[in-house]
Amino acid sequence: MSNQPETNIAISFLNIHNIITRGLKVSLESVQGVIKRGIQGEKSREGFFNFIRALTSVMNAHHLTEDEIVFPYFRDKLPEAPFDSLTSWHHEMGLRLDEINLALDKCADKAQLETELRNIENPLARLNEDWPFHIQPETDEFINLADALIPVEEQLRLVRLFAEHGLKNAVPHYLTVPFMLYNLPEDDRKVFSERMPAEVVQNLVPIVWKAKWESMKPYLLE
Ligand SMILES: [Fe+2]
Ligand SMILES: [Fe+2]
């Protein structure tokens, strides 16, 4: 066994960024498939909408955590890092996420469905395109510098703090927690779930919440 912590800052950001990267890609491909084939042919109508809803909530929560506690923490240590521009990017992406949620709300009306699917596809396509260019400077300008700047014990405290903050805003938990866990491959999921309360991972997700999230399974990893 190495003495390296299993959940340092770099790993925890890599995981949440990977969750969102996959969530965006799968959502976009699914919505394009539904536009082409119609919702009747979709693997799970409920799961399709739940998956996209969970994505928008997890993304918003991640941006809030960065703006409210991550960037303020790093600002003193890395005064040259582009935190202001990253925050305005969050604001821009937040507007796209609002558009998606508005369209999701209107999808219940069958007459509007085709139009609203396009209103989901367009902002999703932009987010999917922009996302790699947003996380690259985050990775280069503060995430990958964390190991050199912050002692191991302090990193563990921060990882927990960031995770709690993110979880608080990512609602409903019965969708967002399984969304986060099962957009990660198994090995990464194990590491990611270590910072969650055991009750959530061992009881709430697999048993208590199962009926509420399992519609998303066709879109999630095993
Ligand atoms: Fe960000
Ligand atoms: Fe980020």
Side-chain angles (χ1 to χ4, degrees):
M1 284 284 288
S2 89
N3 290 325
Q4 286 298 307
E6 289 182 2
T7 53
N8 64 23
I9 285 183
I11 293 172
S12 102
F13 274 88
L14 182 69
N15 279 335
I16 189 70
H17 286 167
N18 284 344
I19 288 166
I20 294 172
T21 302
R22 184 180 185 276
L24 282 167
K25 184 174 168 280
V26 171
S27 296
L28 181 61
E29 285 169 1
S30 305
V31 82
Q32 287 170 338
V34 171
I35 289 171
K36 221 184 260 171
R37 295 187 303 270
I39 190 86
Q40 298 80 359
E42 192 52 16
K43 291 164 267 188
S44 161
R45 185 190 172 107
E46 187 191 344
F48 166 75
F49 290 118
N50 279 345
F51 188 90
I52 301 174
R53 189 77 77 179
L55 168 73
T56 64
S57 179
V58 167
M59 257 184 115
N60 263 325
H62 176 63
H63 295 163
L64 274 174
T65 300
E66 289 184 335
D67 289 337
E68 291 178 6
I69 58 172
V70 179
F71 295 173
Y73 179 87
F74 278 97
R75 231 175 238 279
D76 288 347
K77 296 178 161 42
L78 298 164
E80 304 294 318
F83 295 119
D84 290 338
S85 95
L86 291 168
T87 290
S88 41
W89 213 332
H90 290 166
H91 178 70
E92 276 302 307
M93 290 193 280
L95 298 176
R96 306 285 91 76
L97 294 170
D98 289 347
E99 285 175 47
I100 294 170
N101 278 319
L102 193 68
L104 283 170
D105 289 341
K106 293 186 190 166
C107 277
D109 180 351
K110 278 190 189 136
Q112 297 247 54
L113 188 61
E114 214 178 303
T115 312
E116 297 310 332
L117 287 170
R118 298 260 176 223
N119 290 338
I120 295 172
E121 186 203 8
N122 292 333
L124 255 183
R126 278 192 57 185
L127 286 167
N128 192 53
E129 212 176 283
D130 287 353
W131 180 247
F133 299 99
H134 178 71
I135 56 174
Q136 193 59 54
E138 290 188 342
T139 307
D140 294 342
E141 310 240 12
F142 73 94
I143 296 167
N144 282 350
L145 308 178
D147 269 349
L149 291 170
I150 307 168
V152 168
E153 282 307 311
E154 172 71 350
Q155 286 201 40
L156 286 175
R157 184 188 75 80
L158 289 168
V159 164
R160 276 185 223 114
L161 190 74
F162 298 162
E164 270 167 34
H165 190 284
L167 210 52
K168 186 182 75 190
N169 292 305
V171 286
H173 291 146
Y174 59 79
L175 291 183
T176 58
V177 175
F179 175 92
M180 289 191 275
L181 292 174
Y182 291 95
N183 268 305
L184 285 174
E186 207 178 347
D187 287 351
D188 296 337
R189 187 183 314 149
K190 237 181 239 166
V191 174
F192 189 79
S193 55
E194 276 164 16
R195 62 195 174 108
M196 287 185 175
E199 165 73 2
V200 173
V201 181
Q202 289 162 19
N203 185 35
L204 295 179
V205 171
I207 300 164
V208 179
W209 294 340
K210 194 175 178 204
K212 292 185 170 176
W213 68 267
E214 65 182 349
S215 64
M216 293 193 295
K217 273 191 171 172
Y219 309 91
L220 297 169
L221 295 169
E222 297 266 315

